[in-house]
Amino acid sequence: MADQENRIVATDLCYAYPEAAANAVDGVRMRVKRGEFLAILGHNGSGKSTLAKLLNALYVPTRGSVLVCGLDTRDDELVFDIRQHAGMVFQNPDNQIVATVVEEDVAFGLENNGVPPAQIRERIDEALRAVNMTDFAKKAPHMLSGGQKQRVAIAGIIAMRPDVLILDESTAMLDPSGRREVMQTVHRLNEEEGISVVLITHYMSEAATADYVLVMDEGKIALTGTPREVFSQVERVRALGLDVPPMTDLAHTLRAQGVPIAPDVLTVDEMVEEICRLSLKT
Ligand code: ADP
Ligand code: MG
């Protein structure tokens, strides 16, 4: 009965906190297919974390619905299954690690979710390999860097063999190398294992690597498209309280100075290509 193609389907999704005047998530319609990588952006308070919790069945919609691999989050009896299909990584690595040894931490979810003991060893090894943390299996989590801790948190979820990985600003507390480690891990899981990714981030450079971007504002989807489609609307993105990726910003500034550079440059490589193209012309 699980829908393997459509991993997340949200229809007219709304959520209001008790006694709040307005919906924190307000009429969201979205779909994440197998192997897709979606980035969610939006200024503080725009509803991203509330949406993430709805996608993971931590919250039940006050209106509309979310299907995770075809399973309706409104059905209490499916919550357990849904959390195995869609795992969530949060912002603070220290709040997610519960055990005093890395491999025990990865085992924790497996034990709680009734995975047969005979399979647990294999699942731990597989998950630690997937996040490139095999050498740290016997280490104490408090000895690890922030990026390593987040990779352990991701391993705990990967061990459940999920179809969707939801990350809510999971790189926000990391230094640049920790962020890079986590992003590489997430991209590898997405590309090689076909795990769908929903990445909530305030780093535009991370969003630029997604297949699609969704920008939230006041609980609604204000803008959506490929990173190129979204970020080329520089003024619109800024009006929503966000930056554009650094190279898009540079291209925009150069265009304002009369340089006929493409308006949808996203990466350093693309900028180099544009500059070469322009200098060949003169
Ligand atoms: P974001 O993750 O984009 O910063 P949130 O989903 O956390 O946004 O918040 C969306 C809106 O819901 C905000 O107006 C916020 O104040 C409100 N909100 C978030 N959590 C709660 C809560 N536990 N109780 C009441 N209101 C909340
Ligand atoms: Mg948030």
Side-chain angles (χ1 to χ4, degrees):
M1 116 141 196
D3 181 344
Q4 276 306 317
E5 192 52 32
N6 290 307
R7 296 215 164 147
I8 289 182
V9 180
T11 310
D12 187 27
L13 181 60
C14 296
Y15 185 81
Y17 286 99
E19 304 188 16
N23 282 338
V25 165
D26 194 12
V28 165
R29 183 187 178 86
M30 62 182 277
R31 181 189 302 260
V32 181
K33 294 194 169 175
R34 180 178 193 286
E36 275 180 352
F37 194 124
L38 173 74
I40 300 182
L41 300 173
H43 60 79
N44 273 345
S46 58
K48 304 178 300 296
S49 293
T50 308
L51 176 60
K53 288 172 183 156
L54 286 161
L55 301 184
N56 188 231
L58 284 169
Y59 292 166
V60 177
T62 44
R63 204 178 76 202
S65 65
V66 178
L67 303 182
V68 176
C69 298
L71 308 174
D72 192 325
T73 64
R74 289 172 300 190
D75 185 338
D76 293 347
E77 291 181 3
L78 297 177
V79 167
F80 187 75
D81 270 358
I82 287 170
R83 303 246 175 90
Q84 305 212 353
H85 284 285
M88 185 137 146
V89 185
F90 296 90
Q91 185 177 96
N92 189 338
D94 293 318
N95 294 347
Q96 296 174 77
I97 293 184
V98 291
T100 51
V101 179
V102 165
E103 62 181 13
E104 285 172 13
D105 195 77
V106 178
F108 188 77
L110 297 168
E111 286 159 358
N112 276 342
N113 285 284
V115 173
Q119 279 187 30
I120 289 185
R121 182 74 253 166
E122 183 193 334
R123 296 271 203 114
I124 294 171
D125 293 343
E126 170 191 285
L128 286 174
R129 251 196 323 275
V131 301
N132 204 10
M133 285 293 285
T134 304
D135 294 347
F136 296 83
K138 309 278 186 208
K139 296 269 194 291
H142 71 88
M143 303 297 286
L144 307 180
S145 70
Q148 290 168 335
K149 284 180 196 165
Q150 284 301 52
R151 280 150 62 200
V152 172
I154 294 172
I157 289 167
I158 292 305
M160 307 304 299
R161 298 184 176 155
D163 300 301
V164 187
L165 191 56
I166 302 167
L167 300 107
D168 188 359
E169 306 215 17
S170 305
T171 61
M173 298 178 75
L174 307 182
D175 62 16
S177 70
R179 262 166 41 211
R180 206 172 316 119
E181 284 168 24
V182 169
M183 286 303 292
Q184 279 169 353
T185 300
V186 171
H187 271 290
R188 207 192 56 68
L189 292 167
N190 173 247
E191 282 152 28
E192 293 175 18
E193 322 261 337
I195 295 177
S196 304
V197 174
V198 177
L199 176 84
I200 296 173
T201 182
H202 62 254
Y203 293 107
M204 301 304 131
S205 53
E206 291 180 1
T209 67
D211 297 321
Y212 298 100
V213 174
L214 188 158
V215 183
M216 293 194 69
D217 186 42
E218 295 185 349
K220 298 185 172 68
I221 298 178
L223 205 54
T224 174
T226 62
R228 200 177 299 285
E229 286 163 355
V230 167
F231 291 125
S232 60
Q233 302 174 59
V234 176
E235 304 304 345
R236 178 98 177 90
V237 170
R238 289 195 178 137
L240 291 165
L242 300 173
D243 290 327
V244 295
M247 289 303 125
T248 312
D249 189 16
L250 179 57
H252 188 70
T253 308
L254 287 168
R255 278 179 74 80
Q257 302 282 326
V259 180
I261 205 159
D264 60 352
V265 174
L266 276 179
T267 63
V268 171
D269 286 349
E270 290 174 15
M271 179 56 88
V272 169
E273 218 172 277
E274 275 297 288
I275 291 171
C276 291
R277 185 180 64 78
L278 290 171
S279 38
L280 284 176
K281 272 191 186 162
T282 53

